[in-house]
Amino acid sequence: AQGLHWFAHDAFFQEARRVAKAGASIAAWTYATPTFDNAALNEVWMHCYTDILQPYFPPGREFVDAHYATLPFPFAERTTKTFHQRYHWSLTRFLQYISTWSAVRHYRRKHAIDPIETRVKPSLLTVSADADQNCTLRFEMTVLQAVIG
């Protein structure tokens, strides 16, 4: 499950225990907020994420930001693995991607403006003059796996 952070955890885990055979495996994965390899670009992006977008995520996003380390995952024999996936995207493509986030929808609803066009894009363009030039992004992905007893 990639969206486990949004679930009603107690009810989900109770149902998982009910339907699983003893010794069954359960896994959940998440990917953290992407980072740029370019340090200057990443610094501006982290400011945009933390100060502009993050406050507009619904409860549960804190589990993603903590790489699921704080997610209630009540099973024995728990293992965690983290790996990185790199993408080469233009800023235009990146902005299209983050435009799909629920935080962006909530921001638009509350303020009646698009935070991507009015705040994030102009900030990123202060350190990258070309929105169509490819940048290297890194997504840190975390997988939790456990055995249901």
Side-chain angles (χ1 to χ4, degrees):
Q2 191 281 324
L4 185 58
H5 49 283
W6 304 126
F7 291 10
H9 299 126
D10 292 341
F12 174 78
F13 292 126
Q14 181 180 0
E15 185 66 5
R17 285 186 183 98
R18 186 185 74 77
V19 300
K21 291 183 178 183
S25 188
I26 185 170
W29 67 278
T30 190
Y31 50 91
T33 304
T35 57
F36 288 93
D37 281 357
N38 176 304
L41 190 57
N42 196 61
E43 182 178 348
V44 172
W45 162 238
M46 287 292 101
H47 161 73
C48 291
Y49 174 74
T50 303
D51 296 343
I52 299 169
L53 299 176
Q54 190 178 36
Y56 292 89
F57 277 109
R61 178 65 186 200
E62 68 276 9
F63 297 122
V64 173
D65 289 335
H67 309 276
Y68 274 11
T70 59
L71 182 83
F73 201 70
F75 301 107
E77 300 183 45
R78 176 178 163 164
T79 59
T80 304
K81 300 221 184 277
T82 300
F83 59 97
H84 302 98
Q85 181 68 42
R86 292 192 187 281
Y87 293 94
H88 302 287
W89 286 354
S90 68
L91 281 181
T92 300
R93 171 66 185 99
F94 173 71
L95 294 169
Q96 290 168 342
Y97 163 69
I98 65 172
S99 291
T100 67
W101 289 0
S102 61
V104 173
R105 287 192 308 278
H106 293 145
Y107 188 104
R108 285 179 187 139
R109 203 172 304 132
K110 182 172 183 176
H111 300 287
I113 59 171
D114 184 346
I116 304 304
E117 288 300 318
T118 61
R119 300 189 67 194
V120 176
K121 182 178 180 179
S123 295
L124 293 175
L125 289 176
T126 65
V127 290
S128 178
D130 184 357
D132 294 319
Q133 181 179 353
N134 276 351
C135 307
T136 303
L137 283 159
R138 182 175 64 118
F139 286 78
E140 186 170 282
M141 300 182 184
T142 301
V143 179
L144 298 179
Q145 188 275 328
V147 175
I148 299 176

